[in-house]
Structure formats: structure tokens, C-alpha cells
């Protein structure tokens, strides 16, 4: 696997691949890779000729009181995982914003409510960095997990509205044995909190089977679960979305309502 830190070097490599008609798969990540990310890489490997994984903890998508400083960083392990998974390039820049950066990408429909309401400015940061990464890597395909369901909606809308020539590929959530969706933030959980997080995932799964009452059922069930504070439970586009706080850790999940 080739590690590239310079945006210009990535752009040169990507342009060369594009000219020779290669299908390029992009897997954007913030590192701290787990089996969910590797699933994205495997899908990209299956469908593309070349795979670029980006590792960049994007500061602009974190609010001032959020976990940017403590967000897990494990570069050597991440590189080893990318190598094993068969990535061709890992793009790991030190910084992608000039000190006087002043251009932002704002999607104003799918970004409202849910995560958008709880994390003001989050999707502006996500949309801006994702467009930057798409312009640097020039992928034909870009892979995003369904776990960050609202993020996926925002990116799909962004690509549609701005005519970005890329196919966005949603990849199903990878879960632990007890149902908890894999997330880099799960490692913040103490053993007791980890048990509660599993129960949260099971309650989302159960509530999603309750059709149109899914959100009401989930709100009701979570009230009885001590140690778990509900942020929101909402149905949107036929999926049940939920966010909770367990101790100092914020977790999100979503499932198709059935
Ligand atoms: O899903 C993530 O890890 C991030 O939001 C992304 C898409 C890499 C942008 O920083």
C-alpha cells in the first residue's frame, strides 16, 4: 500500500488512473478502523480496479464541545489493516485546510433535524470535506456505511445537486454479536456501558419491527433503561433513527422500519 500525505500527489495519481479508464473506489474514513470500515474496503475492492482509503480526522465536523481531541488515532494499526484489506493508496494528510480557508459546502434539506439539530455545523463540515476528498481522489465510486444514515443522505443529495460524477455506494452496517453497530466511538465505553449499548441496539431492532409506531415504542422502552439518555428517536424515509448518550459517549443507529 502506498501512503500519500500530499493532496497534489494524490490528485496526480488519481488523474493518471482516470485517464487510463480505471474504476477508482474511495473509502473516506477518520481512521480508528474497524470491521465496518474494512467492509467498505472489501466492497470497493470487488467493484473497482483501484482503492483509495483516506484517513483524516476532519476538525470542521466536530462542535467545540465534541470529542475531536480524544478521537482515537492509531495510524500504524490503520495502515496495517488497509494493507491487509488490499487498499492501493492510503491518503493520510496532516491538514486539509489552509489557515484562511473560507469556502463551505452546505446541504440544507437532508442536513436538518436528527444529527443536524443535535450537532450544529456537523454536516457543513462533512459536506465540505467529502467534496474536497472527491475532488482530490476523483473516484468513480465512493463507499459510505449505512450506520451514518443521515450523513449518507446528505452526501447523496450533495452529489446529485452539484453534479459530482461519482456513484455513491451505501454499505450495510456491520454489527457486533449483540447487535451493537461497530463504531470507532465504541471504545470509549466502559464494560457496563458496553452492555447498555448492546441493549440500545437490540431495542432499536425491536422497535423497528413495530412499523409506524417504531419511534414511540423506542422512546418508551429507552425511558426504562437507566444510564441511557435519549437524544432523538425518529422515522425518516422508512428508517428508524436514534441517538443516545451513554456516560460521555454519544451513539447513533438506524434500521429499516418493518
Ligand atoms: O464517516 C466518517 O468517518 C466521516 O464523517 C467522513 C465521511 C470520513 C468525513 O470526515
Amino acid at each position: 500500500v502506498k501512503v500519500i500525505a500530499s493532496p497534489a500527489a494524490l490528485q496526480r495519481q488519481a488523474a493518471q488512473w482516470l485517464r487510463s479508464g480505471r474504476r477508482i473506489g474511495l473509502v473516506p474514513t477518520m481512521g480508528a478502523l474497524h470491521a465496518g470500515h474494512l467492509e467498505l474496503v472489501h466492497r470497493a475492492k470487488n467493484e473497482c480496479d483501484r482503492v483509495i482509503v483516506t484517513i483524516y480526522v476532519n476538525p470542521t465536523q466536530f462542535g467545540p464541545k465534541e470529542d475531536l481531541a480524544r478521537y482515537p488515532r492509531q495510524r500504524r494499526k490503520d495502515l496495517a489493516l488497509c494493507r491487509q484489506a488490499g487498499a492501493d493508496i492510503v491518503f493520510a494528510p496532516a491538514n486539509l485546510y489552509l489557515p484562511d480557508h473560507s469556502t463551505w459546502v452546505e446541504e440544507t434539506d437532508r442536513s436538518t433535524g436528527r444529527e443536524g439539530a443535535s450537532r450544529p455545523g456537523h454536516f457543513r463540515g462533512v459536506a465540505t470535506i467529502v467534496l474536497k476528498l472527491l475532488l482530490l481522489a476523483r473516484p468513480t465510486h465512493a463507499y459510505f456505511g449505512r450506520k451514518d444514515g443521515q450523513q449518507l443522505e446528505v452526501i447523496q443529495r450533495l452529489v446529485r445537486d452539484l453534479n459530482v460524477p461519482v456513484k455513491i455506494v451505501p454499505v450495510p452496517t456491520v454489527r457486533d454479536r449483540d447487535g451493537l453497530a461497530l463504531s470507532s466511538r465504541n471504545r470509549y465505553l466502559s464494560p457496563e456501558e458496553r452492555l447498555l449499548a448492546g441493549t440500545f441496539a437490540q431495542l432499536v431492532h425491536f422497535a423497528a419491527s413495530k412499523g409506524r409506531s417504531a419511534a414511540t415504542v423506542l422512546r418508551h422502552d429507552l425511558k426504562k433503561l437507566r444510564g441511557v439518555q435519549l437524544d432523538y428517536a425518529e422515522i425518516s424515509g422508512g428508517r428508524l433513527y436514534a441517538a443516545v448518550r451513554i456516560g460521555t459517549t454519544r451513539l447513533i443507529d438506524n434500521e429499516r422500519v418493518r
Side-chain angles (χ1 to χ4, degrees), residues 28-30 37 56 58 61 126 129-130 133 144 148 151 155:
T29 81
M30 298 206 299
H37 296 112
Y56 180 60
N58 172 36
Q61 69 188 75
V126 169
I129 197 67
V130 168
L133 293 171
F144 293 89
D148 295 305
Q151 166 172 286
I155 292 165

Side-chain angles (χ1 to χ4, degrees), residues 31-250:
L33 303 182
H34 51 64
H37 296 112
L38 299 180
E39 183 68 22
L40 304 178
V41 181
H42 292 141
R43 272 293 290 276
K45 279 288 288 179
N46 277 339
E47 296 171 3
C48 300
D49 304 307
R50 296 285 183 271
V51 175
I52 303 173
V53 178
T54 69
I55 298 181
Y56 180 60
V57 182
N58 172 36
T60 67
Q61 69 188 75
F62 290 80
K65 294 200 181 118
E66 292 183 0
D67 57 343
L68 173 62
R70 77 160 175 162
Y71 198 83
R73 287 156 173 94
Q74 48 169 50
R75 191 177 159 132
R76 281 166 73 113
K77 188 174 170 201
D78 285 347
L79 290 183
L81 289 170
C82 289
R83 187 175 303 120
Q84 275 164 28
D88 296 283
I89 286 182
V90 172
F91 177 56
N95 180 21
L96 281 179
Y97 297 91
L98 293 171
D100 59 350
H101 177 100
S102 56
T103 306
W104 301 100
V105 181
E106 203 157 355
E107 190 286 326
T108 56
D109 176 48
R110 304 319 298 155
S111 298
T112 60
R114 293 174 283 158
E115 290 304 284
S118 298
R119 305 183 65 189
H122 170 65
F123 286 124
R124 184 180 87 151
V126 169
T128 303
I129 197 67
V130 168
L131 186 60
K132 278 165 79 70
L133 293 171
L134 292 172
L135 291 170
L136 289 170
R138 309 268 300 277
T140 52
H141 298 64
Y143 295 80
F144 293 89
R146 280 222 186 267
K147 197 218 128 212
D148 295 305
Q150 192 177 2
Q151 166 172 286
L152 177 65
E153 291 172 41
V154 170
I155 292 165
Q156 282 169 329
R157 183 62 68 88
L158 157 85
V159 159
R160 187 200 75 176
D161 287 353
L162 299 183
N163 308 100
V164 185
V166 64
K167 181 174 160 44
I168 300 299
V169 184
V171 178
T173 303
V174 178
R175 295 178 181 278
D176 251 338
R177 259 190 285 183
D178 63 351
L180 178 63
L182 297 192
S183 161
S184 305
R185 290 187 167 99
N186 291 352
R187 67 192 71 191
Y188 299 154
L189 300 165
S190 70
E192 298 76 34
E193 291 171 344
R194 174 63 190 77
L195 284 175
L196 284 172
T199 308
F200 160 60
Q202 289 152 23
L203 291 177
V204 171
H205 183 69
F206 172 76
S209 71
K210 298 293 168 192
R212 282 197 300 198
S213 342
T216 318
V217 169
L218 184 59
R219 274 186 222 115
H220 174 265
D221 287 353
L222 283 173
K223 258 192 203 134
K224 295 185 288 189
L225 194 61
R226 279 187 48 187
V228 178
Q229 280 89 47
L230 177 66
D231 182 352
Y232 61 80
E234 273 179 52
I235 298 180
S236 174
R239 299 184 78 86
L240 172 62
Y241 288 83
V244 293
R245 192 171 287 283
I246 301 180
T248 57
T249 307
R250 195 164 177 283

Side-chain angles (χ1 to χ4, degrees), residues 5-16:
S6 141
L10 178 66
Q11 243 167 353
R12 274 196 302 275
Q13 173 68 85
Q16 191 190 324

